[in-house]
Amino acid sequence: MDIINPATEELVATVPDSTREDVDAAVKRAAAAQRGWAALAPGDRARHLRRFADAVDTHLEELARLEVREAGHPVGNARWEAGNARDLLEYAAGGVERLTGAQIPVAGGLNVTFHEPLGVVAVIAPWNFPMPIAAWGLAPALAAGNAVLLKPAETTPLTALRLAELALEAGLPEGLFQVLPGAGPVAGDALVEHPGVAKVVFTGSTAVGKRIMAKCAAGVKRVTLELGGKSPNIVFADADVERAAAAAPGSFLDNTGQDCCARSRILVQRSVYDRFMELLEPAVTSFTVGDPADPATQMGPLISAAHRERVRSYVPETAPAAIRGEAPAGKGFWYPATVLEGRPEDRTAVEEIFGPVAVVIPFEDEAEAVRIANATDYGLSGSIWTRDVSRAVRVSRAVTAGNLSVNSHSSVRYWTPFGGFGQSGLGRELGPGALSAFAETKNVFIAADPLTESS
Ligand code: NAD
């Protein structure tokens, strides 16, 4: 598989394409390694993960530069992504000794619960945040005593392969964490179908996620799905409209809009609509687009020529737009920041474009804002801008999405839970429950004989 720099179209590397036989051999190696790993004392497992985190930290800049070249992410973002992988490993390491069971009162003995590891876990990752999303599955799965097979996206396997090398250098047992670069329908499908894989953690498109869930059903295989989104950014007239407009570009242009949490539907109360659009225009056009290796760059290219065609199929660069930014000409898969004015039922307002495109829609009152916000099959994220605390509480409870922020666009912290409602996914990652998603609860009752004359 040729790995192409999306900013220059130059060949970065060539990577082997894993076959079904490769997957089968990897599952066998992983199963063997997992037995020893699960038997380690919790403190030793935690120590291994901390060493792995240290190795990532030592190679942070190298990993970030690799991300810049294979994914076209601005280097500032890429550094954050490598740091997020390190943080996840540290956070999960802190959970190993704290994965405690319960003692539940019963008569006639002792009842205790254990969190048993699942065995071999497959993590199938997308290209939009290759390192963080790999780490979201990898770190807690290892911490809970599992082995991990990571299949990165076809376009972005390089940071995953480097992470696996760093794991070995840090002393993790051979076979415990393996990376299988390859095609989704071959290596990915082989992992999903393999009877030796106990759980699949999939992040990607809703269409592929549904197929994976159906296949997992055959073996009652555990599955976590993190899928698409079409998240609303709701701006009420009582908000600090200047702040809301200044923050809006980052919420749909960050990562060139290739973000499942992108606030790509901007709902604005009609009485402040014109003012908001006036403020949004300079905020969008001043978003710095260009060389991802330059620390001043805020937005890079799209991931591939094919993906740019997909974005163009929604909005050609020549289509009328309320606001349009600049994009470099020449080599690279560039696409300009684009803001459309639309209606809730427009295709561009309902389907995930996964590019730097937002649709602005006016609303009259709170009830209408909530109705429009909830009028998609997705439910991943959303933002609410208001100075009214009661409204913030009411609307946060009424919007059907897994991750909401008020007067902010923050949605992902490794120590808070993340996941979607509806067709945005199934299960939660990150946060205090992260390790439990990679363990089965076992209940054990131990009978105690009553005291007799002879005892
Ligand atoms: P995709 O579904 O095409 O691919 C995701 C991964 O699945 C890749 O590794 C791919 O090789 C693999 N895959 C493809 N077909 C497969 C199959 N039949 N069996 C097994 N694996 C298969 O998605 P993408 O284009 O890589 O990513 C974009 C999508 O991911 C967007 O819809 C986005 O919203 C979503 N996403 C969601 C989150 C989240 O946390 N909810 C995060 C990032 C991306």
Side-chain angles (χ1 to χ4, degrees):
M1 297 187 303
D2 287 345
I3 309 307
I4 305 295
N5 182 330
T8 62
E9 301 182 40
E10 284 161 4
L11 183 69
V12 177
T14 302
V15 166
D17 197 354
S18 307
T19 62
R20 285 185 175 270
E21 292 70 35
D22 294 333
V23 169
D24 187 50
V27 173
K28 291 192 174 101
R29 283 195 299 274
Q34 190 267 333
R35 285 189 284 277
W37 179 246
L40 279 184
D44 290 337
R45 224 190 295 148
R47 197 167 304 112
H48 273 94
L49 291 176
R50 283 194 199 99
R51 286 199 190 118
F52 185 9
D54 289 347
V56 173
D57 192 50
T58 308
H59 295 83
L60 210 77
E61 189 62 20
E62 179 202 337
L63 287 163
R65 293 283 165 184
L66 210 49
E67 188 89 311
V68 171
R69 281 190 288 140
E70 74 170 341
H73 292 184
V75 65
N77 294 29
R79 286 181 184 133
W80 180 88
E81 290 170 48
N84 186 250
R86 172 207 54 211
D87 293 345
L88 251 300
L89 287 164
E90 277 175 359
Y91 181 62
V96 179
E97 303 100 325
R98 294 170 181 80
L99 193 59
T100 51
Q103 177 274 116
I104 299 166
V106 288
L110 173 70
N111 193 96
V112 285
T113 63
F114 295 88
H115 295 289
E116 303 287 9
L118 303 173
V120 178
V121 171
V123 177
I124 302 180
W127 44 260
N128 61 335
F129 291 107
M131 271 187 284
I133 292 174
W136 295 8
L138 161 70
L142 288 177
N146 303 281
V148 173
L149 299 175
L150 167 63
K151 200 214 74 68
E154 291 83 336
T155 41
T156 55
L158 300 181
T159 49
L161 288 163
R162 189 68 188 116
L163 284 174
E165 288 171 0
L166 293 174
L168 279 182
E169 285 170 26
L172 258 71
E174 194 92 38
L176 186 72
F177 165 40
Q178 301 170 65
V179 174
L180 292 157
V186 183
D189 190 59
L191 282 167
V192 172
E193 290 190 337
H194 201 293
V197 171
K199 172 162 184 166
V200 177
V201 180
F202 171 79
T203 304
S205 60
T206 299
V208 173
K210 286 180 186 175
R211 286 205 291 278
I212 288 179
M213 189 175 172
K215 285 203 170 186
C216 285
V220 199
K221 197 170 281 191
R222 277 65 181 141
V223 63
T224 297
L225 302 174
E226 297 288 1
L227 308 174
K230 189 75 186 176
S231 299
N233 173 11
I234 312 171
V235 182
F236 287 97
D238 62 20
D240 181 338
V241 177
E242 278 74 18
R243 260 184 70 207
S251 77
F252 73 95
L253 298 179
D254 193 54
N255 212 27
T256 323
Q258 303 164 121
D259 181 341
C260 49
C261 292
R263 273 55 164 184
S264 52
R265 289 185 299 149
I266 308 178
L267 316 184
V268 184
Q269 195 151 17
R270 201 178 289 280
S271 56
V272 292
Y273 187 91
D274 291 343
R275 174 82 186 121
F276 180 84
M277 290 304 281
E278 259 171 46
L279 292 164
L280 185 63
E281 212 265 334
V284 167
T285 52
S286 62
F287 211 77
T288 323
V289 186
D291 179 7
D294 180 346
T297 295
Q298 292 175 287
M299 184 169 113
L302 292 167
I303 186 70
S304 64
H307 186 55
R308 183 170 59 181
E309 283 317 304
R310 186 172 170 264
V311 174
R312 281 176 175 160
S313 75
Y314 285 96
V315 194
E317 284 103 314
T318 50
I323 304 169
R324 183 168 275 128
E326 299 283 326
K331 292 274 188 198
F333 311 122
W334 303 97
Y335 185 93
T338 304
V339 178
L340 309 171
E341 290 180 289
R343 293 161 305 159
E345 62 276 18
D346 292 348
R347 184 173 167 241
T348 47
V350 179
E351 294 182 22
E352 185 180 47
I353 299 174
F354 226 51
V357 181
V359 182
V360 191
I361 301 166
F363 67 85
E364 295 299 337
D365 56 19
E366 190 178 307
E368 191 184 18
V370 170
R371 201 163 50 245
I372 299 172
N374 289 340
T376 76
D377 294 334
Y378 294 117
L380 193 55
S381 298
S383 304
I384 300 147
W385 292 80
T386 177
R387 286 191 175 105
D388 179 336
V389 176
S390 300
R391 168 168 279 157
V393 172
R394 279 194 308 269
V395 178
S396 314
R397 299 302 301 272
V399 172
T400 48
N403 314 275
L404 294 167
S405 43
V406 176
N407 297 329
S408 151
H409 292 301
S410 135
S411 48
V412 182
R413 290 186 181 85
Y414 61 83
W415 64 97
T416 60
F418 179 81
F421 280 37
Q423 298 204 11
S424 284
L426 187 76
R428 291 292 176 270
E429 296 189 276
L430 311 179
L435 269 63
S436 312
F438 295 97
E440 288 290 10
T441 300
K442 180 184 283 176
N443 191 72
V444 177
F445 169 71
I446 304 164
D449 293 337
L451 187 67
T452 61
E453 284 301 313
S454 58
S455 54

